Amino acid sequence: MTFLWPELLWALICVPLLIGLYIFLLRRRKKLAVRYAGLSIVKEAMGASQHWRRHIPPALFLLAFTGMLLAMARPAALVTLPSQYETVILAIDVSGSMRASDVQPTRIAAAQEAVRGFVEKQPRHTRIGVVTFAGTAAVTQAPTENREDILAAINRIQLQRATAIGSGILVSLKAIFPEVEFDLNSSDPRPKESRNGSGGRSINEASAEKKPEHKPVPPGSYTSAAIILLTDGQTTTGPDPVESSLMAAERGVRVFTVGVGTPEGEVVAGEGWSMHVRLDEESLKKIAGVTGAQYFYAGTANELTQVYKMLNSKLTLERKETEITAFFAAGAALLALLSALLSMLWFNRIL
């Protein structure tokens, strides 16, 4: 547990002071009782049970007071809460390198099987979209709740040439925010005003229609949608993947990356060509890190299936640091109320 205002914890020094004051008052009361009555009479009037019962209301009040002091410091704790992801975009690499068999039977076949299982286990209200990317990227299935359409889009995947991971991220982002603008022909796809941090325009630029500026939000703060990127991580064309992920980060969208393949890789041959394909984990870690998400490694078909099971639980239940001041305040109020009630009962000799 952490505290948002830890400097206020100094107020807890009042607790031992109150305990000392209470002990002082008890001893003073005892001296007064002995002065005006015989000690034997006092002991006879107060049984053993009454001796400790009379300390219960002050003890509850002290606990309530301590709880209120802790609440003032605004405590926060990691708790598991249901996530609110309403849209999940599956961005799948369909480049030629996905035909490699270092993940049996092939990278793409293992990926399709794992993704199918993931889709079937998602809550029915979650909208799922499918984006495929090779040299270019395209939305092969717009976000929908229809599981049959999603599975059909996954089943009709066909491999193509080149790998543009940056394009896959950008098209996935546009499926979530249709108003997003980017440049697929530049290594840095972000609009100029996003790069230099100023929303200004050149006086030579046309200003037919001024669009509202986008204000960046903290990475990972958008909890209504997420992107799951599955690839071997080797970019050969298109925008820079890290620069593309910055656009997602500026909108709070997390990009969970899944690396399929092995770092050693293998040689893949096609019609008159061959190339060595291997897993580039560093790029995928950077993409996930920039957006406040997580990278997962899948070196075998079984590991890939387990990764998607973990992703399913992560998107359904997520651990977050949440302020729990209200719990401390409510507990302190209940203890104070109970202390007052017991004091009243004690005063009226009901207990």
Side-chain angles (χ1 to χ4, degrees), residues 283-306:
S283 297
L284 298 181
K285 288 178 181 178
K286 287 180 181 178
I287 293 170
V290 163
T291 62
Q294 190 173 350
Y295 164 72
F296 298 91
Y297 168 70
T300 66
N302 183 57
E303 287 179 353
L304 185 56
T305 301
Q306 295 302 317

Side-chain angles (χ1 to χ4, degrees), residues 231-265:
T231 178
D232 56 20
Q234 280 190 308
T235 294
T236 61
T237 188
D240 183 272
V242 176
E243 295 294 341
S244 300
S245 63
L246 284 173
M247 290 189 65
E250 290 170 356
R251 288 161 178 78
V253 178
R254 295 183 180 182
V255 182
F256 295 92
T257 55
V258 180
V260 56
T262 59
E264 300 78 18

Side-chain angles (χ1 to χ4, degrees), residues 267-284:
V267 176
V268 176
E271 297 178 358
W273 59 270
S274 65
M275 61 182 297
H276 182 261
V277 293
R278 62 177 183 82
L279 176 63
D280 182 4
E281 290 189 284
E282 290 305 314
S283 297
L284 298 181

Side-chain angles (χ1 to χ4, degrees), residues 139-182:
V139 177
T140 56
Q141 176 57 59
T144 178
E145 295 180 2
N146 190 314
R147 299 300 186 253
E148 288 73 21
D149 290 347
I150 299 167
L151 294 175
I154 295 170
N155 291 334
R156 63 173 177 261
I157 285 176
Q158 293 183 349
L159 299 183
Q160 304 168 30
R161 291 186 179 182
T163 307
I165 296 177
S167 298
I169 295 172
L170 294 173
V171 172
S172 299
L173 190 61
K174 195 170 185 65
I176 300 171
F177 303 108
E179 72 280 5
V180 172
E181 294 184 358
F182 49 80

Side-chain angles (χ1 to χ4, degrees), residues 95-101 105-108 159-160 266 268-270 273:
S95 61
S97 60
M98 292 294 285
R99 74 178 64 191
S101 58
T106 61
R107 292 180 183 179
I108 191 62
L159 299 183
Q160 304 168 30
E266 68 174 31
V268 176
W273 59 270

Side-chain angles (χ1 to χ4, degrees), residues 177-188:
F177 303 108
E179 72 280 5
V180 172
E181 294 184 358
F182 49 80
D183 183 8
L184 288 177
N185 296 319
S186 171
S187 61
D188 186 349

